[in-house]
Amino acid sequence: THEPLRKLDLLLAGALIEARSCERFGLLAGRLPAAVAPLYAQLRASEARHFELYLRLAERHAGQAGGLDWQARLAELAQVEAALATGPDPEFRFHSGPPSGPGELQ
């Protein structure tokens, strides 16, 4: 919640969000009709550029903030993000894992 770590976390979280978008668009591109598949492939490439930009900004910020270990922090955040994205969630959300409990989607 405090600088400079807060900014680093925001940049790394942005990178993780963009990486998940790359996964989704890449998977969709391979399953969609030929008329729209190229659009999703282009969206995937765009998200990849955003992902790389966030990582470069995080690396730069980490260096300017006295050499923060951004790669270790990214690994830590990626573990939390993966658990949230794939684990059961009692409330359905767009980017959360499969629903659990009352009101599960069938």
Side-chain angles (χ1 to χ4, degrees):
T1 61
H2 296 86
E3 295 301 347
L5 296 176
R6 182 176 187 276
K7 183 174 181 179
L8 180 63
D9 282 355
L10 289 172
L11 292 167
L12 294 174
L16 291 169
I17 290 166
E18 299 297 331
R20 285 287 180 188
S21 293
C22 286
E23 290 176 343
R24 281 190 297 279
F25 289 134
L27 289 170
L28 285 170
R31 293 188 165 104
L32 293 172
V36 294
L39 170 65
Y40 282 81
Q42 289 173 347
L43 288 169
R44 187 211 169 277
S46 175
E47 296 300 291
R49 287 189 299 272
H50 299 157
F51 164 76
E52 293 167 356
L53 175 62
Y54 275 112
L55 287 184
R56 284 195 311 271
L57 291 171
E59 183 177 19
R60 183 184 313 155
H61 175 68
Q64 291 171 346
L68 300 173
D69 190 353
W70 68 273
Q71 291 172 318
R73 186 63 177 157
L74 176 61
E76 184 180 349
L77 292 174
Q79 283 184 326
V80 172
E81 187 272 343
L84 290 170
T86 60
D89 192 336
E91 184 178 331
F92 179 72
R93 303 169 228 259
F94 184 70
H95 292 288
S96 64
S100 65
E104 274 189 52
L105 296 179
Q106 298 298 322

